[in-house]
Amino acid sequence: MREPAAPPMILPAPPNPAPPPSARALFAVLRRRLAAFLACATLIPALAALALHRLPPRYTATGTLIYEPDAFKPRQMQSILRTGRITAAVMASQAQVLSGLRLIEPMAARLHLFRDPAFNPARRRPGHLARVWNWLRARFARAPPIPPPVRQNRTGPGLDPDRDQVLLAIQRALIVHPVGASRVLSVSFTADDPVLAAAAVNTLMDIYIRGTLGAKYRAVHKARTWLETRAASLRFQVHRAADRIAAYRARAGLVRGVRAGLDTEQISHLTAMLGEARAALAAAQGRRDAASNGAAAAIAPSVARLRAEREAMAAALQSLLTRLGPNHPDVLALRQQLAATTRAVATETARVQAATAAGVAAARQRVAALRTDLIHARAGIDRNARAEITLRAMERDAAVKRTLLVRILERLQELGQQAAVEVPDAHEVSLALPPIAPSFPRTVPLLAAAIAFGMLFGLFAVYLLELTDTTLPGGLPGSEAVRAALHRPCVALIPEVRRRRLGRLRVEDYVALRPLSAFAEQLRGLRAALWLSGERPRAIAITAARPAEGKTTVALALGRSAVLSGERAILLDCDLRHPAIAGLLGSAGHAGLADYLRGDARWDEVVGKDPLTSLAYVGAGTTGADGFGLFLSEAMLGLIQRLREEFDLVLLDTPPALAMSDTRVIARIADATVLCARWRRTPREVVRAAIELLEESQAAVVGVALTRVDARDHARSGYGDAAMVDPRSNRYVTE
């Protein structure tokens, strides 16, 4: 009896640095994972398209207005309606005013937005999921729902939360911002209805423009009220001063000038003239000051008229410039008229100023002359003269009040003129039109982004699948993967025969009925790899790391292929726990290997013949608890030695190496062991553990056979060992 030869020691290959993947390798990975890539590249855009289809469209309308407050203000109204230099801060402030709730509220009321479900959540109809959820809550709730508290009928800001929420929703849909460094404000509003969006923008701009003009009118009205009150007070004081003067004259005896004497009458006359001269001087000085301060129009109606004409021409020129070019003949002519009017205003103003200055000089000379005459006449002043001085002081005070009253009346008249020609500080540049296309969602850019993201995610999924693929062959060709991971040759790539090609045949019978198929050719390749090895083993154990790897199919098909090639072959079913050979060949229940090893049956009683190929086979026989001891017995060693001498090929179908200890004993007896691993199903670590377990038993594991290889998928990988499914090789095989 020959002892089995010790297996050759196989040293692991020295680790070589992995070369960077080439473009061909990356393309091969993509082809191998094409289904995952296409699933991600199509599913993500499809979901994005579905989401975009379900999203309601939103439309944004935009209008613009220009902010240019009136530059001309009367001198007395500067403290009320004065406008500073327009800066970026001023434009930002106006943008905040436009987007404030004070203007949004009347706009919402005018457009009935408080009843719009797009802005009022209380008026929205619940969706299907919300209705189902509410029904479930009402159906299965343990306690009845607490009714909402009854809201009191209160009015005022901040006392109606629902109204405040609507206003805030409208404010979020509104965008107001200055356009660059200009005085133009852009107003945009987003809504579900394009007509509503345009109406909201135009309504808001109209409210803003009317509000600025109303603010001016309110300021003018407030100033007019104050001036009218002041004028009424001065009228009362003037009348009261006149009554006091008359009473004083009567008390001082100044009513009858003849009885007071000529001196008294003269002094009184001089004092009165001096008071009048001083009043005239004060009035002249007031007119001179007014003319010097730019209010010549208040003194000379001609100046007011010329200025009004100049302002009207300026407004007309500005209107022409917005419609016509700066070189248009009408614009040039109007500019010439405006320049002539400006010169006339300057000339008339200068004339008024000169006239008022001359009047002041004349009044000052008159006051000086009267003062001199009064000094000469005071030598004979008596009690009546001093009384006359007091009287003149009273008259002087009354004259000042009368002058102030006249000036206030003049200011009231100017204020009425200002209110008649007042214009708003802003006006529309372009009204908002209903948009044609929605602003959200932007279907084309979002779909393009979804397609790009789907492709990138598909590449990432391919990378993750490759990174987490621990099966054989993984990301390498079958032969290279086996050599790289297990340091063993890949002795066969046995393709999977699809159900459509099998028809009513069994895969075990395919090699006998289709001897020229690719499946049969790979089995002949496995036999050639075993025959071409140095020792040319005869007793070969066919095993696997775990069940359902195809080892029994490989063992039976390999035996049939060997018989068809003219060899003498025999197949022993050594899987006593789960025998399959006898059932596949139609001899289930007969005596087998276990019975022969126990001595319960003769050899000719356990040996059967394959009806398709006359392959000799021995079934497992009657199983028992002594299976492991039977394989350790001398009878088993003697049987294998005798079969080596009688047959060219002895195949031992063993249990999975990691499941049964019998495999280690059988592999130790055999000349060589072939480990079957299912293509892209069996993890590398499992196969490596099985090989290490067999090597510890001094079994000669000569190679790994990959079973159930998907030929089409392997062909798409572009690897070199995929030539078995190359279309050019079809002439050599017949399915």
Side-chain angles (χ1 to χ4, degrees):
M1 185 179 298
R2 186 176 67 88
E3 292 291 337
M9 184 177 293
I10 301 176
L11 299 177
N16 295 325
S22 62
R24 181 178 180 181
L26 295 177
F27 183 69
V29 171
L30 183 61
R31 289 183 61 185
R32 188 168 61 255
R33 305 290 184 181
L34 187 61
F37 174 77
L38 292 179
C40 296
T42 56
L43 183 60
I44 292 178
L47 292 177
L50 180 61
L52 292 176
H53 179 70
R54 296 297 300 271
L55 286 176
R58 306 280 290 173
Y59 297 87
T60 301
T62 303
T64 55
L65 56 85
I66 186 170
Y67 178 73
E68 45 181 4
D70 193 7
F72 170 74
K73 302 296 176 188
R75 179 178 60 86
Q76 73 279 1
M77 295 298 296
Q78 287 182 359
S79 60
I80 302 175
L81 300 175
R82 178 165 40 199
T83 302
R85 188 171 62 92
I86 298 178
T87 60
V90 173
M91 297 303 298
S93 301
Q94 294 302 316
Q96 292 297 322
V97 172
L98 256 171
S99 58
L101 298 180
R102 185 176 294 275
L103 298 182
I104 290 177
E105 186 171 8
M107 182 265 286
R110 188 180 300 181
L111 298 179
H112 308 290
L113 298 183
F114 292 104
R115 295 180 293 179
D116 193 343
F119 300 100
N120 192 349
R123 290 183 170 267
R124 296 176 188 169
R125 294 185 59 186
H128 298 290
L129 293 178
R131 288 198 294 267
V132 171
W133 174 250
N134 293 333
W135 181 84
L136 291 176
R137 288 182 60 187
R139 180 68 175 81
F140 298 102
R142 296 183 179 179
I146 301 175
V150 179
R151 182 180 295 114
Q152 298 179 359
N153 188 12
R154 299 181 295 177
T155 58
L159 298 181
D160 191 349
D162 293 340
R163 188 180 182 88
D164 296 343
Q165 291 298 325
V166 173
L167 293 177
L168 292 177
I170 298 173
Q171 190 178 41
R172 288 191 294 269
L174 178 66
I175 298 177
V176 182
H177 61 86
V179 179
S182 64
R183 299 182 180 182
V184 178
L185 291 172
S186 175
V187 184
S188 300
F189 190 81
T190 303
D192 297 339
D193 185 3
V195 177
L196 176 61
V201 172
N202 297 331
T203 302
L204 185 66
M205 291 193 300
D206 181 69
I207 292 173
Y208 171 73
I209 293 173
R210 291 177 181 274
T212 57
L213 186 60
K216 287 188 174 183
Y217 283 140
R218 287 191 296 272
V220 170
H221 176 71
K222 185 177 180 180
R224 179 190 295 274
T225 302
W226 182 83
L227 290 176
E228 289 177 350
T229 303
R230 183 60 177 165
S233 177
L234 287 176
R235 286 193 185 94
F236 175 75
Q237 294 179 10
V238 167
H239 290 306
R240 184 176 179 183
D243 295 339
R244 291 176 59 189
I245 291 173
Y248 184 79
R249 284 179 178 274
R251 288 196 306 270
L254 298 177
V255 179
R256 302 187 190 94
V258 177
R259 192 179 63 179
L262 294 176
D263 294 336
T264 303
E265 184 178 0
Q266 183 180 5
I267 292 174
S268 300
H269 182 66
L270 290 174
T271 302
M273 293 178 65
L274 181 60
E276 293 176 356
R278 287 176 176 174
L281 176 60
Q285 289 176 346
R287 288 192 296 272
R288 182 195 62 185
D289 294 339
S292 300
N293 292 333
I299 301 171
S302 59
V303 175
R305 179 179 55 77
L306 290 175
R307 285 186 178 179
E309 293 178 358
R310 182 183 65 181
E311 292 304 320
M313 290 181 181
L317 177 60
Q318 187 66 25
S319 177
L320 285 178
L321 285 175
T322 58
R323 295 182 291 100
L324 305 175
N327 297 326
H328 195 273
D330 295 340
V331 174
L332 296 177
L334 191 58
R335 279 181 175 172
Q336 293 178 0
Q337 295 177 9
L338 179 61
T341 305
T342 302
R343 289 192 298 271
V345 169
T347 303
E348 187 65 18
T349 302
R351 184 188 66 77
V352 171
Q353 291 176 352
T356 54
V360 170
R364 187 177 288 112
Q365 292 178 1
R366 178 174 175 79
V367 169
L370 291 174
R371 189 180 295 164
T372 302
D373 294 340
L374 185 59
I375 291 173
H376 290 301
R378 279 183 177 173
I381 292 177
D382 51 5
R383 179 177 54 83
N384 292 332
R386 289 193 296 272
E388 190 71 23
I389 294 173
T390 303
L391 178 62
R392 296 310 175 199
M394 295 172 63
E395 291 177 349
R396 204 165 43 247
D397 181 63
V400 170
K401 293 179 180 180
R402 190 179 298 108
T403 303
L404 183 58
L405 176 60
V406 171
R407 291 185 180 179
I408 288 178
L409 294 177
E410 292 175 353
R411 301 301 181 264
L412 280 173
Q413 184 179 4
E414 292 176 357
L415 193 60
Q417 296 175 356
Q418 178 70 18
V421 297
E422 194 64 78
V423 294
D425 291 341
H427 59 272
E428 300 93 342
V429 175
S430 63
L431 295 175
L433 299 177
I436 300 175
S439 60
F440 177 85
R442 301 179 63 186
T443 306
V444 175
L446 290 178
L447 280 181
I451 293 173
F453 178 75
M455 297 179 67
L456 292 177
F457 189 80
L459 295 176
F460 180 69
V462 169
Y463 171 74
L464 287 182
L465 291 175
E466 286 294 314
L467 190 64
T468 57
D469 189 4
T470 60
T471 62
L472 288 174
L476 295 173
S479 57
E480 294 183 14
V482 173
R483 291 183 182 276
L486 307 176
H487 308 299
R488 293 293 185 280
C490 180
V491 293
L493 291 173
I494 301 176
E496 181 178 11
V497 184
R498 299 182 180 276
R499 181 64 61 183
R500 179 179 57 84
R501 183 164 293 174
L502 278 175
R504 296 184 178 182
L505 301 179
R506 297 185 305 177
V507 67
E508 296 83 5
D509 304 335
Y510 197 76
V511 66
L513 300 177
R514 301 289 188 272
L516 299 180
S517 62
F519 180 78
E521 186 61 34
Q522 284 300 312
L523 290 172
R524 285 191 288 270
L526 173 59
R527 181 69 184 107
L530 296 173
W531 189 84
L532 293 174
S533 62
E535 296 294 333
R536 292 189 180 182
R538 290 195 174 190
I540 301 172
I542 307 297
T543 186
R546 60 185 187 178
E549 298 290 305
K551 62 177 182 60
T552 301
T553 301
V554 171
L556 179 57
L558 180 60
R560 286 176 168 176
S561 177
V563 171
L564 291 176
S565 299
E567 294 185 273
R568 294 173 301 167
I570 187 172
L571 173 62
L572 303 181
D573 190 354
C574 299
D575 191 353
L576 302 182
R577 297 286 183 88
H578 295 282
I581 297 298
L584 291 174
L585 298 180
S587 61
H590 293 183
L593 180 62
D595 301 294
Y596 174 77
L597 294 177
R598 294 192 194 100
D600 297 336
R602 298 189 308 273
W603 178 250
D604 56 354
E605 295 177 349
V606 298
V607 176
K609 291 293 183 178
D610 177 21
L612 292 179
T613 60
S614 69
L615 169 70
Y617 70 93
V618 178
T622 305
T623 62
D626 58 345
F628 183 73
L630 294 177
F631 292 129
L632 291 174
S633 64
E634 293 293 331
M636 182 66 180
L637 293 175
L639 176 62
I640 297 300
Q641 181 61 30
R642 182 164 58 88
L643 293 178
R644 285 194 186 98
E645 297 174 356
E646 296 180 3
F647 293 93
D648 298 325
L649 181 63
V650 180
L651 298 175
L652 306 174
D653 182 18
T654 68
L658 297 179
M660 296 286 293
S661 300
D662 300 353
T663 305
R664 301 169 64 184
V665 178
I666 300 170
R668 175 70 178 83
I669 298 173
D671 299 334
T673 301
V674 175
L675 188 68
C676 295
R678 187 173 175 181
W679 186 78
R680 288 192 180 169
R681 288 295 184 273
T682 308
R684 292 189 293 268
E685 296 298 329
V686 174
V687 180
R688 186 180 294 112
I691 292 177
E692 292 176 355
L693 185 64
L694 293 174
E695 287 181 346
E696 290 176 358
S697 304
Q698 298 184 359
V701 182
V702 296
V704 177
L706 295 179
T707 62
R708 301 187 67 175
V709 177
D710 191 337
R712 294 180 181 177
D713 194 5
H714 197 50
R716 286 197 299 267
S717 64
Y719 295 143
D721 58 0
M724 65 176 186
V725 291
D726 193 329
R728 291 173 293 182
S729 302
N730 291 338
R731 68 187 69 176
Y732 295 100
V733 296
T734 302
E735 297 294 340

